[in-house]
Amino acid sequence: MRFLLTDEQREFGRSLDALLTAADTPAVLRAWAAGDHGPGRCLWGRLADAGVFALAVPEAYGGVGPLPVEAAVACVELGRHAVPGPVAETLAAGVLLAGTGGPVAAEWLPGIASGAAMVSLTLEGYGPYAPDADAADAVFTVTGDELRLAPGPGEPSASVDPARRLFRPEPGGAPVAKGPAVRAAARAAGDTAAFATAALALGCGEELLRATVAYVKQRTQFGVPVGSFQAVKHRLADTLLGLEFARPLLYGAAVELASEVSRPGAGTGSAEGSPGAGAAVAAAKVTAGEAGYAAARTALQLHGAIGYTEELDLAWWLRRARPLRDAWGTPSACRARVLAG
């Protein structure tokens, strides 16, 4: 069995890499953290034009999905470039609303696919905070079998990553959908959010490793590059192994999710979600999250004191690794789900 991306999927990843390389994402991140969402929304629109957010929206609503493998390719690149905004949450909202159906899906899904709508959400069992709710056009909340549109983003909470602000949505808001379909769609949306976050974490770790390797090649001690030291080589090799071990788990989860959505009834609100797909997502999430965080610790140590400075662009990736590890399923919660599955 050949478990490889197709030429088209690899080209999709390369095109996103080129787009984001030209976008100067560190400048976008600084503006986003300062409350200026204009550059981030502009970049969001360009990503939408490339088809990123349509990957989670069915064709009936103007999308091309759900396509989990392509979504993994996209999110790895977005993680490598630390794109700001509720990426995982918007993709998850596409799955949630498609599974719920009705007027709320018809109202919001075309905007999600086109990039006109940036969405954040909270789901029962995943914590009360909605990332980047102040920049989102809508914040959806699910409690039990009720889907509500929050009346406002609420008050901000402390966040390790200043470019990934957390909000507790204002309570209330009239239900826009309710019933068993909402509960089932929320389970699928939770898996999608965890899966997308795993891909973002993997991409974040890849960039941290790349930048660290480049740095130890040019930093010298005792007249030689520190990258030539055996201890440094071993630390980098361990980091690479962790990331490479996470990659097949991520794409394995994508295949499981693709099989799930291709079942009869999937995407209509009747799909309950399989334990196998959920366990595969949890395995990918814990492995990619831990690997990305380990890459951050390696990068911080091998960059030395410079790693702590605000001026270093790499600081944005360092701050992002741990929140991505814990968002949409902590390591302990994911391990428990793997065992249960």
Side-chain angles (χ1 to χ4, degrees):
M1 178 179 180
R2 289 177 59 82
F3 191 59
L4 297 171
L5 296 175
T6 65
D7 291 340
E8 291 79 7
Q9 290 164 342
R10 287 194 292 271
E11 181 56 35
F12 179 49
R14 286 192 290 267
S15 68
L16 290 177
D17 179 39
L19 185 158
L20 292 168
T21 299
D24 188 16
T25 52
V28 176
L29 282 162
R30 288 185 169 86
W32 191 273
D36 178 7
H37 301 136
R41 290 300 297 251
C42 181
L43 178 58
W44 190 276
R46 295 177 64 190
L47 290 170
D49 290 341
V52 171
F53 303 109
L55 296 172
V57 177
E59 292 183 16
Y61 296 99
V64 296
L67 296 173
V69 176
E70 286 76 7
V73 172
C75 286
V76 168
E77 292 301 327
L78 270 59
R80 277 207 316 120
H81 291 273
V83 172
V87 172
E89 292 73 25
T90 296
L91 293 172
V95 172
L96 172 66
L97 298 178
T100 301
V104 66
E107 179 181 359
W108 287 99
L109 285 177
I112 290 175
S114 69
M118 179 183 289
V119 178
S120 192
L121 82 162
T122 66
L123 299 175
E124 196 170 34
Y126 287 98
Y129 298 113
D132 299 307
D134 60 329
D137 300 295
V139 180
F140 291 100
T141 65
V142 176
T143 304
D145 61 358
E146 285 192 344
L147 170 63
R148 295 175 181 265
L149 181 59
E155 292 297 319
S157 298
S159 175
V160 174
D161 182 357
R164 189 177 183 275
R165 302 177 68 198
L166 301 177
F167 293 80
R168 188 187 292 265
E170 293 180 8
V176 293
K178 61 173 60 178
V182 171
R183 190 182 294 269
R187 284 194 288 269
D191 284 346
T192 299
F195 170 72
T197 304
L200 292 169
L202 178 61
C204 180
E206 287 181 346
E207 175 57 20
L208 285 162
L209 178 60
R210 183 207 64 77
T212 305
V213 169
Y215 181 70
V216 298
K217 286 181 178 179
Q218 67 180 16
R219 179 187 172 191
T220 61
Q221 195 171 35
F222 308 116
V224 296
V226 297
S228 65
F229 299 160
Q230 197 74 358
V232 172
K233 290 180 179 179
H234 285 177
R235 185 69 184 268
L236 292 171
D238 289 342
T239 302
L240 176 62
L241 284 174
L243 294 168
E244 289 302 314
F245 186 73
R247 191 184 315 280
L249 291 177
L250 176 69
Y251 286 107
V255 171
E256 288 281 355
L257 289 173
S259 300
E260 178 70 13
V261 299
S262 66
R263 291 190 303 111
T268 64
S270 61
E272 290 292 322
S274 72
V281 169
K285 175 64 173 58
V286 66
T287 308
E290 295 280 32
Y293 182 51
R297 296 180 66 179
T298 296
L300 185 60
Q301 180 181 17
L302 297 186
H303 275 81
I306 193 176
Y308 291 92
T309 61
E310 289 274 347
E311 291 77 12
L312 184 71
D313 286 344
L314 197 69
W316 297 100
W317 282 258
L318 290 170
R319 289 170 167 173
R320 182 151 295 195
R322 183 164 184 173
L324 289 176
R325 184 196 70 171
D326 296 337
W328 295 105
T330 62
S332 60
C334 289
R335 290 188 178 97
R337 192 173 185 191
V338 171
L339 292 174

